[in-house]
Amino acid sequence: MANPAVFHLVRGLFDLALEHHEAGRLAEAGRLYRNVLLAVPEHGETLHLLGVVHRQVGEPGQAAGLIRAAIAIEPDVALYHVNLGLALHDLGQGDEAAACCREALRLDPECTEAQINLGLLLQERGELREAEALYRVASPSRG
């Protein structure tokens, strides 16, 4: 995307999509994210966020595919792995979801989202001691 005008337009579309997403206007956000991907098909952040939208509207299979595509482009973003784990959990794939959270923690040991989500997954499986340890790390006492 060498053309600065195209870059500016795509950045504007992405920012508008993010604004809609954060406001809960998921259909509009999804439409705009797809428009960004028409211009830049391998935009990892857009693939990830479109996947998040699909999960939020109850389409975890679509979500997982899009987030996996984002991870293929940007494998070192911890939050992508966390959100893939959430989509996989929704699909009933608890072990894979836990593995995603562990990968997120490998990438970013201080990723609170990964700590909490892995704790919840472990709690569901009855692994309460490890879950409690993760919760303590995620929200240390304030004194």
Side-chain angles (χ1 to χ4, degrees):
M1 192 170 34
N3 185 332
V6 172
F7 175 81
H8 183 71
L9 177 64
V10 170
R11 185 72 222 181
L13 276 175
F14 178 83
D15 291 344
L16 184 58
L18 188 57
E19 185 178 307
H20 283 291
H21 196 170
E22 290 172 346
R25 295 184 295 271
L26 301 180
E28 188 64 17
R31 185 183 67 76
L32 292 168
Y33 287 142
R34 282 187 281 284
N35 285 337
V36 170
L37 292 172
L38 288 174
V40 187
E42 294 194 0
H43 192 266
E45 189 174 8
T46 301
L47 286 163
H48 166 250
L49 290 172
L50 182 57
V52 171
V53 167
H54 277 280
R55 179 176 179 267
Q56 289 174 305
V57 299
E59 299 171 342
Q62 290 273 11
L66 288 160
I67 297 169
R68 284 184 203 277
I71 289 170
I73 296 164
E74 299 179 62
D76 296 333
V77 180
L79 188 58
Y80 294 6
H81 293 274
V82 171
N83 283 318
L84 176 57
L86 290 170
L88 293 174
H89 177 264
D90 292 347
L91 291 167
Q93 299 174 19
D95 290 342
E96 294 86 350
C100 289
C101 289
R102 290 185 195 285
E103 177 62 10
L105 287 170
R106 186 190 70 75
L107 293 167
D108 179 3
E110 296 180 18
C111 181
T112 303
E113 295 91 347
Q115 293 164 345
I116 291 170
N117 287 318
L118 182 55
L120 290 169
L121 290 165
L122 294 172
Q123 185 177 341
E124 282 181 6
R125 295 191 324 204
E127 298 176 34
L128 302 181
R129 220 171 255 162
E130 189 177 353
E132 181 182 7
L134 284 162
Y135 295 147
R136 287 185 190 279
V137 171
S139 52
S141 65
R142 301 201 189 273

